[in-house]
Amino acid sequence: MGSNQSWATEFVLVGFQLSADVEVLLLWVFSLFYILSLLANGVILGLICLDPSLHTPMYFFLSHLAITDMSYASTNVPKMLVNLVNQNRTISFVPCIMQTFLYWGFAATECLILVVMSCDRFVAICHPLQYTVIMNWRVCMVLAVTSWSCGFIQSLVHAILLLRLPFCGPRKVNHLFCEILSVLKLACADTSINQVVIFADCVFILVGPLCSMLVSYMRILWAVLKIQSKEGRTKAFSTCLSHLCVVGLFFGIAMVVYMVPDSNQREEQEKILSLFHSLFNPMLNPLIYSLRNAQVKGALYRALQKKRST
């Protein structure tokens, strides 16, 4: 470690430069969205755990999606909310690195979970007779463990590379939280290795998975067109379209932030995109993937009926 770097170093999270009244308004709005996100994902996770009818591979992966949504939102949103009402927007070095590590880890894991979910839907629609054989519980566990492991191994590599850098210049992180690219700008050493590793990881967890998912959904849509029942085609189209919307938002925002060449004019736009990624996307996922689903609605109805009867 460089002699100019100290574990006690503090950074200042710049955030949005707004008036006090606007920041108070945003505090209430963002708090509401954050609470709704936790509640929606918590309800989905609880229903999947408690209702035996939801103990299937699809809902197994949805439970992991709910966990990652709650987790990566909780790594930075609480600190962001505190900063909206607190003039002292400092964060010490170690919590900043931890925030970077956890955010990247949960976000990368979610990318891989979304890929696994698309594969699950592909097998269910294109190979329905072999579905239970192919997507057995052993395979599901391996896919889930691999997704979490790959996500956090990548995040650990970024954290280690970040720790080797000295930070002896300006201490203002021009972002809402300790986002890795914003923190790298404060290093007073060559960050080319970090940039190359970030780009390589983006190819691995964004470009590659997105291409594989698009191929999977194209084959799914082709299989759907062969369904004789109009009701079946409509239901399958609706499911695939909603899934593609989530995938497009999640991967599209991440690719814009991490793969488009940086510029000073884009810093404010990246803050808004990261805010959407951290706050709104975790709230949309349960609405699109689960709460529109008849099985989940049925499980929720049974849970409410059971609670009333007791």
Side-chain angles (χ1 to χ4, degrees):
M1 276 232 201
S3 58
N4 290 327
Q5 183 176 350
S6 169
W7 288 106
T9 299
E10 287 188 338
F11 296 120
V12 177
L13 299 174
V14 175
F16 292 120
Q17 301 297 302
L18 303 169
S19 65
D21 291 338
V22 175
E23 288 186 342
V24 171
L25 176 62
L26 290 179
L27 171 67
W28 286 104
V29 174
F30 293 165
S31 298
L32 177 62
F33 283 141
Y34 178 57
I35 292 169
L36 288 176
S37 173
L38 294 182
L39 286 175
N41 283 288
V43 167
I44 296 302
L45 186 60
L47 289 175
I48 292 172
C49 292
L50 297 174
D51 197 302
S53 67
L54 300 182
H55 293 174
T56 63
M58 182 177 77
Y59 294 105
F60 172 74
F61 295 127
L62 276 173
S63 67
H64 285 268
L65 184 67
I67 292 171
T68 55
D69 277 337
M70 290 189 292
S71 300
Y72 87 75
S74 298
T75 59
N76 50 45
V77 173
K79 178 64 175 175
M80 182 188 71
L81 295 176
V82 171
N83 288 344
L84 285 173
V85 293
N86 190 358
Q87 296 302 315
N88 182 21
R89 298 181 176 182
T90 59
I91 181 170
S92 60
F93 183 78
V94 174
C96 184
I97 299 300
M98 282 300 299
Q99 193 178 65
T100 302
F101 167 75
L102 291 173
Y103 181 77
W104 187 280
F106 287 122
T109 301
E110 175 149 343
C111 288
L112 299 175
I113 291 293
L114 288 171
V115 175
V116 171
M117 289 173 63
S118 71
C119 294
D120 173 72
R121 291 299 84 205
F122 169 74
V123 176
I125 294 175
C126 298
H127 303 283
L129 298 179
Q130 292 85 31
Y131 178 71
T132 55
V133 177
I134 297 173
M135 298 302 294
N136 58 68
W137 283 111
R138 182 180 178 182
V139 171
C140 292
M141 288 298 298
V142 169
L143 290 173
V145 170
T146 302
S147 297
W148 282 92
S149 300
C150 288
F152 276 90
I153 287 172
Q154 289 184 20
S155 185
L156 182 61
V157 171
H158 290 300
I160 292 172
L161 291 175
L162 202 57
L163 286 171
R164 57 180 277 277
L165 296 172
F167 294 90
C168 51
R171 305 299 169 91
K172 291 186 177 181
V173 179
N174 191 16
H175 212 281
L176 303 170
F177 56 93
C178 286
E179 191 271 329
I180 188 167
L181 294 179
S182 298
V183 175
L184 283 176
K185 293 177 182 178
L186 305 183
C188 51
D190 183 25
T191 61
S192 57
I193 295 177
N194 301 72
Q195 300 285 354
V196 169
V197 173
I198 289 173
F199 185 82
D201 272 358
C202 287
V203 173
F204 175 71
I205 63 173
L206 292 177
V207 178
L210 181 60
C211 292
S212 68
M213 281 190 288
L214 290 177
V215 171
S216 295
Y217 279 112
M218 286 176 63
R219 296 188 64 179
I220 288 172
L221 291 174
W222 182 253
V224 167
L225 291 174
K226 297 179 181 179
I227 297 177
Q228 300 296 325
S229 168
K230 183 179 179 180
E231 182 181 351
R233 284 199 306 270
T234 303
K235 182 179 179 181
F237 267 123
S238 176
T239 301
C240 290
L241 186 60
S242 63
H243 290 193
L244 283 172
C245 287
V246 172
V247 168
L249 284 172
F250 190 89
F251 282 81
I253 291 174
M255 291 175 73
V256 168
V257 172
Y258 291 103
M259 301 193 73
V260 174
D262 196 15
S263 66
N264 293 330
Q265 290 77 19
R266 288 185 56 242
E267 287 183 343
E268 294 301 317
Q269 297 175 3
E270 287 180 1
K271 291 179 189 178
I272 296 173
L273 290 175
S274 297
L275 178 66
F276 188 92
H277 214 257
S278 304
L279 194 60
F280 300 108
N281 203 65
M283 185 177 66
L284 291 176
N285 280 349
L287 297 176
I288 293 175
Y289 274 106
S290 302
L291 296 179
R292 295 172 65 251
N293 189 293
Q295 284 181 282
V296 175
K297 290 179 181 177
L300 180 60
Y301 177 77
R302 288 191 294 272
L304 293 175
Q305 288 294 103
K306 185 177 181 180
K307 185 175 182 180
R308 287 176 183 174
S309 63
T310 56

